Amino acid sequence: MSSPISYNTIDLTVPLFDAQFDPYNRGYLLVGGGGGENKSGVANTIALLDVSKRSEISIATQLNLSRNEDSIQSIASLTTPTGLVTFAGINSSATSQEAGNNYHLNSFEVTFPKKKQTEESEKDSAEAKIKFTTRASLFKAKKEGKARPYQRLLRLSPVTSREAPSRRICVAATGDAAKNEIVMFDATTAVPSESSVFARLSPPDGVEAVDLDLTEENDLGCFALAYCTDHEIYVCRLRYDFDSRKTVPSKPETTSVYTASASPGGKTGTSRPKIRCLRWLSPQHLLVLQKSGSSPAELVILNLSSSTGKINLRRALPKSLEVAAHLDICALDADPGSGERQFLVAVAGANRSRDSVIHVYTLDHRPSDPDPARPIWQLNKFSVLNSVHPSNIMRITFANFFPPKQNPNSTMSVATPSQYISLASVAWGGTVVIDTFTLTSTPTKPHDTGAARTSTTNPRGTPSIRWVLTTNSMTERLTSRAGIILIAMSVLVAAILLQSYITLTKGDAAAASPFRTAKSVIKKLQPPGARTMPAVLRRDGAVISSAVVSAASAASSVAAEFNPIPGVEHRFRDLLDWTQKSGKEVATAPQHHIHVRAPAPDESAAQGKAPQGLTASLLPVNRREELERLQKQGAKKWEELSVAEKEKWTRRMRDSGDYVEAVPESIFKAVLFSEWAAIVGGGLRDAVLN
């Protein structure tokens, strides 16, 4: 099976700032950029690229623009039978702006090449052309002091279908102005002018719009504009009559629908995220990309069915994506019955190594899912495209997707040709990269039409299909795997505990290594700080320990021969007797250390109760890290104790019955003595540090 992703690249050697596919996806990509106003050096250019073949990218035509004006900053195109009408944001010269004139909206007529109909050559029979037509000034913002307003954003309302072209509107926004503005104008003419403007909006406090997007709510000319500032999202809904050139309402107003706030589970003191990009998913749903300082970027889906936006989904992106600057989506075809649809989502930026990357996701929408447990929106990671460009990415854009027609009267079972979707990205260094994704067909679902369920098949019985990037949801795969892993781990832990219990009850000390006892297994599963806490707590003079430790101690006491297990609590006296009886020369060639702990402070002594025996454990000499940790927590060898400390420990051992006068003092040279306060303090310190 071939790879689902392929790519091609071309280098135009000039900085590129924007790109847009032919809205009808006829195999062309328009890019623009340049070096800006300069006398020599990097030129300003607009180029038409032929991307109809997945194996190569070629320049169909290119037009170098005046060096006395700024470079192209934004592009938006209307379709014509022979090509495109392209609007481009190009600032006038500095001299013209000083005079108060900035003709920022430039129009170009783009003619596609005509292909030969014979098989003699695949080259174009007629050359493609890009022709400048006119320029206009739609903004009222003028140069004031250091502020030099320019056309920062430009976006057309989306196309609906190839068969029924719709009339479209366009929106443009300023940047770097003393008081920024947003204008909406009629885009049914190739030569827009100030008279084409039907709405002017002013962002709060005159700040510039960071991003904006348009959507059409129905076929009656109802549109919705969404734009964002650093922390706010605003929506303007209106109806525009193309014939009378009037809007309803006559003075459109914007409404704040979302204010960015720190994630509920984020770190304390995290700053408010900044909104980077937004895209309409439907007339009632917005996809938002936001980023807060060093925190991971987030994708947020807003439901705008009420007066204020409700968050339907909030997903943190990988921390490796340190810079998240660009967002685009592609809507695939919807299931005619259930309304289910898959979107492709691309987020571009840079990773920790400052390499340009693009993260690609699938976003599944299930508006009529009968299962309330399944999410309406499901975001799944598809792929990460690394080192896409050698320089910073300036724009990413998906091609529109138009599914192939399904012939309901077909008498032959003809396989539907493979479908592809392209993602273009342009960079500061002048490179253009086209990543192409292979789509997969999936059968549509039956749906209810009142009384009866209707099968989504054509009259010939061929099932209807829709297209997706992938049907194998990563979330569903992880969900199914998680249950299997959980069951396997439960069985494994139960087997370890059972084997430990059997080993201990048989008294097989040789087989009961520290890693096979339940005590050791549990300690290994604990975090480092938890291991340093005392294993035995005392209350009312009684020893309270875990069930596993109690079972181990009970099994050891009934054994015919005492065989201490390293890491398990034993009576200090038993360990001393075992050391002496077994002939262990702990003083000269110790194989183990004995770690004894002072009893916890309680009320038994005050109440006249007999003190309990001291508890201790064996520590093999090869466990140096554990030995060093105990010594850092205050554990001391016998020779390191002061005279007063030796007297205290001797008194403790006498009171608890662990001290016998006949026991030589040399036996204590391999014993580590720990005070209760040192144990607790060391444990707390390790827990905090860990």
Side-chain angles (χ1 to χ4, degrees), residues 662-677:
V663 175
E665 185 175 320
S666 61
I667 204 72
F668 297 134
K669 290 189 177 181
V671 179
L672 293 174
F673 298 86
S674 288
E675 295 289 343
W676 175 265

Side-chain angles (χ1 to χ4, degrees), residues 131-151:
K131 178 184 177 182
F132 170 77
T133 55
T134 186
R135 59 169 58 98
S137 178
L138 306 184
F139 296 136
K140 291 184 176 181
K142 305 297 181 182
K143 184 179 182 302
E144 297 181 23
K146 295 182 179 180
R148 296 184 61 182
Y150 70 102
Q151 183 178 304

Side-chain angles (χ1 to χ4, degrees), residues 317-329:
L317 302 185
K319 292 183 179 179
S320 59
L321 185 64
E322 284 202 344
V323 179
H326 308 286
L327 168 73
D328 202 30
I329 66 169

Side-chain angles (χ1 to χ4, degrees), residues 359-606:
H359 289 240
V360 182
Y361 298 86
T362 59
L363 180 63
D364 292 294
H365 182 41
R366 302 182 179 92
S368 58
D369 199 321
D371 185 1
R374 297 184 70 183
I376 295 177
W377 295 96
Q378 189 171 4
L379 183 71
N380 303 311
K381 180 180 177 180
F382 179 75
S383 180
V384 178
L385 309 177
N386 293 301
S387 301
V388 183
H389 293 270
S391 57
N392 292 339
I393 296 176
M394 303 306 294
R395 188 78 67 206
I396 59 173
T397 181
F398 274 111
N400 292 325
F401 177 69
F402 299 99
K405 289 184 178 180
Q406 300 179 53
N407 186 3
N409 299 315
S410 176
T411 58
M412 300 178 60
S413 178
V414 181
T416 305
S418 298
Q419 298 297 303
Y420 306 92
I421 200 69
S422 296
L423 171 66
S425 56
V426 295
W428 170 265
T431 51
V432 181
V433 174
I434 307 291
D435 290 283
T436 304
F437 303 88
T438 304
L439 301 180
T440 304
S441 62
T442 183
T444 56
K445 296 181 179 180
H447 59 283
D448 293 325
T449 56
R453 290 175 62 84
T454 303
S455 176
T456 51
T457 58
N458 59 38
R460 298 288 180 180
T462 306
S464 299
I465 60 173
R466 68 183 181 98
W467 296 89
V468 295
L469 180 58
T470 175
T471 56
N472 194 6
S473 164
M474 179 173 288
T475 302
E476 292 173 357
R477 294 200 306 267
L478 293 178
T479 302
S480 61
R481 290 177 182 175
I484 297 174
I485 294 173
L486 180 60
I487 294 173
M489 291 192 65
S490 301
V491 173
L492 178 62
V493 171
I496 292 173
L497 293 176
L498 180 61
Q499 177 64 31
S500 302
Y501 177 75
I502 294 173
T503 302
L504 291 172
T505 54
K506 288 183 177 180
D508 186 1
S513 66
F515 298 100
R516 294 181 61 183
T517 62
K519 170 77 174 180
S520 300
V521 171
I522 293 175
K523 288 183 70 177
K524 289 294 179 184
L525 294 176
Q526 290 175 331
R531 296 184 198 173
T532 62
M533 300 301 290
V536 178
L537 301 179
R538 298 176 181 270
R539 185 179 62 202
D540 297 330
V543 178
I544 302 174
S545 60
S546 67
V548 175
V549 178
S550 297
S553 300
S556 298
S557 63
V558 299
E561 181 182 354
F562 177 69
N563 291 305
I565 300 171
V568 175
E569 301 290 342
H570 300 283
R571 285 190 61 203
F572 181 40
R573 174 62 182 272
D574 292 340
L575 290 178
L576 290 177
D577 290 344
W578 171 77
T579 302
Q580 194 172 21
K581 290 178 182 178
S582 60
K584 303 291 183 182
E585 296 296 334
V586 294
T588 57
Q591 299 298 316
H592 296 83
H593 290 287
I594 299 175
H595 181 215
V596 61
R597 303 164 182 81
D602 53 31
E603 299 177 355
S604 59

